[in-house]
Amino acid sequence: MKWNERLQAIIDYVEQHLQRTQEKIDMAEIQRMAGCSGSFFQKVFSYTTGISFAEYLRFRKMTLAGYDLQSSDIKIIDLSYKYGYDSPTSFTRAFQQFHGVSPKEARTSGSSLRVFPKMRLLSQQQYVWEIRRMPAMRLVGKSITITSDDEQNVTKIPGFWNACQRDGSFSKMIAMDQRNPKGLFGLFESCGEGSKEGQYSIMTVSECEIPSDFVAKILPESTWAVFDCRGSVPAAIQQGWRYLEQEWVVKYPFRHESLPEIEWYSDGNPYADDYLSQIWIPIIEEE
C-alpha cells in the first residue's frame, strides 16, 4: 500500500472514532496501520500534510466541537470528555485558541467559528510515494563520469543512454534483467564529499556473468523513499526531480543514506502517457 493510501486510511479511522463511535484514538492501531514506529509515522505525516498528527487531531476535534455547540444543547463538561480532554478548563483553553472565542461565546448568535476540514490525501497528492525496504541487489551495466554541472548533465546523461542503445549495451541489459518487475536503473553516485565529480550508471538487476565492458555494483538491503512519475520520458522524470527539489528537499524529513540516488524505468513504452518511472531516494529509517 502506498504511503498516501495508508495515511488516508488512518485519517478515515480517526474520523470514524471522532464522529461515529466516539472512542479514543488508539496509537497502537495507527502504528499497525502505518506499518512503522509511532515516531516514524508522525514524521511522514508531518512531511506529507504540512502539520503534525497531534495538530490534525486537535484541529478536527475543535471543528467538530464547534458543530456540537451550535447544533445541540450538550454541556461543555460533557463535550470536553467527549473529545478526550481531562477537564473543561483544558478543553476551553484549546477551543478558544482554535476558534478565537470561548465555548460559551460560541453559542451566541452570530459567532463565527473556524473549520478545519477532513483531509483527503488521495485527491491532493501530486506524486504517489512510499517508504520501501529493499533487499540487497546486484546491478550490472555501464558507467560514465559526470560533474555537478546540471546543464552539462542534461545533455550528457541522455547522450549516454543513446550511446548504450547504439552499441548494443541496452539490449544486453534487457536480456540479463532478472528483477520482477523488470526495468532499467539509472544511478547517481558521488565520488566523495567535496568532489564535483560523480558517476552515472545504467544498470539492471542480474546474477549473470558480467560482459567484459560492463561493471557490477552491490546495493545492500536498504530503505528508500520511492516516488512514482507518470508520463513519457525524459519529461516525467525531470518533472519528478523538480518536484523533489522544490518540495521534498525543503521539508526533508529523513537523513540521507550514503547510497546512490536512483531512477528506475519500467519495462514498457517510454513514450506512453501512463508510462511508469520512479525516483528512489536512499534514507535512514529511524525508530
Side-chain angles (χ1 to χ4, degrees):
M1 184 182 290
K2 305 293 186 181
W3 261 111
N4 59 328
E5 294 174 346
R6 293 186 189 184
L7 294 182
Q8 188 64 62
I10 289 169
I11 288 168
D12 292 342
Y13 164 85
V14 166
E15 295 296 324
Q16 172 76 8
H17 279 61
L18 289 179
Q19 297 194 56
R20 297 191 177 185
T21 62
Q22 297 178 14
E23 297 172 343
K24 184 179 179 180
I25 305 300
D26 185 352
M27 283 305 299
E29 175 62 15
I30 287 176
Q31 290 180 49
R32 185 197 67 77
M33 295 172 70
C36 61
S37 67
S39 61
F40 191 70
F41 157 71
Q42 293 189 52
K43 185 177 288 188
V44 172
F45 187 95
S46 179
Y47 164 71
T48 303
T49 66
I51 65 171
S52 70
F53 184 62
E55 285 177 317
Y56 179 73
L57 282 180
R58 185 169 67 253
F59 292 172
R60 287 300 294 151
K61 287 178 179 180
M62 292 301 101
T63 296
L64 297 172
Y67 293 152
D68 288 339
L69 281 170
Q70 292 194 330
S71 63
S72 72
D73 296 327
I74 187 172
K75 295 179 180 180
I76 292 175
I77 187 171
D78 294 332
L79 198 58
S80 65
Y81 295 140
K82 176 181 178 180
Y83 289 109
Y85 285 83
D86 295 332
S87 69
T89 301
S90 59
F91 169 78
T92 297
R93 188 184 303 114
F95 189 94
Q96 187 154 8
Q97 184 179 27
F98 181 77
H99 289 290
V101 296
S102 69
K104 184 177 180 180
E105 291 170 331
R107 280 198 156 129
T108 62
S109 177
S111 293
S112 178
L113 300 184
R114 181 183 173 192
V115 173
F116 191 90
K118 173 187 174 182
M119 285 185 175
R120 301 188 183 279
L121 295 176
L122 294 180
S123 61
Q124 292 177 349
Q125 284 294 99
Q126 182 179 0
Y127 283 87
V128 173
W129 71 289
E130 64 177 316
I131 302 298
R132 190 182 298 174
R133 185 74 179 171
M134 296 288 193
M137 294 185 290
R138 177 181 183 261
L139 296 167
V140 299
K142 301 188 78 169
S143 299
I144 58 168
T145 298
I146 58 174
T147 70
S148 56
D149 186 342
D150 289 338
E151 291 185 5
Q152 182 189 105
N153 293 331
V154 164
T155 57
K156 189 170 185 179
I157 291 174
F160 180 46
W161 279 85
N162 289 335
C164 287
Q165 287 179 314
R166 290 195 303 270
D167 67 14
S169 299
F170 197 85
S171 298
K172 287 181 184 177
M173 282 184 263
I174 291 175
M176 296 170 66
D177 189 357
Q178 295 177 326
R179 185 172 181 265
N180 185 20
K182 292 184 178 297
L184 295 181
F185 292 82
L187 286 76
F188 296 87
E189 192 168 14
S190 172
C191 286
E193 188 175 350
S195 174
K196 293 185 177 181
E197 289 192 339
Q199 273 193 336
Y200 181 80
S201 305
I202 302 174
M203 309 189 105
T204 192
V205 173
S206 180
E207 295 295 330
C208 297
E209 184 178 348
I210 306 173
S212 58
D213 56 342
F214 277 22
V215 295
K217 295 180 185 290
I218 303 295
L219 293 182
E221 180 180 355
S222 46
T223 301
W224 308 80
V226 179
F227 295 80
D228 285 356
C229 303
R230 289 284 180 182
S232 62
V233 293
I237 205 82
Q238 290 171 351
Q239 289 169 6
W241 281 114
R242 281 195 291 270
Y243 165 77
L244 294 183
E245 290 167 2
Q246 295 168 6
E247 297 290 335
W248 172 266
V249 174
V250 172
K251 305 175 186 176
Y252 199 65
F254 310 114
R255 286 195 293 144
H256 196 290
E257 181 64 276
S258 56
L259 291 170
E261 294 180 343
I262 290 176
E263 297 171 346
W264 178 73
Y265 299 90
S266 63
D267 182 27
N269 178 7
Y271 304 108
D273 292 338
D274 61 347
Y275 176 75
L276 174 64
S277 54
Q278 293 176 334
I279 296 172
W280 297 14
I281 306 295
I283 65 170
I284 297 173
E285 186 174 358
E286 299 172 338
E287 291 298 327

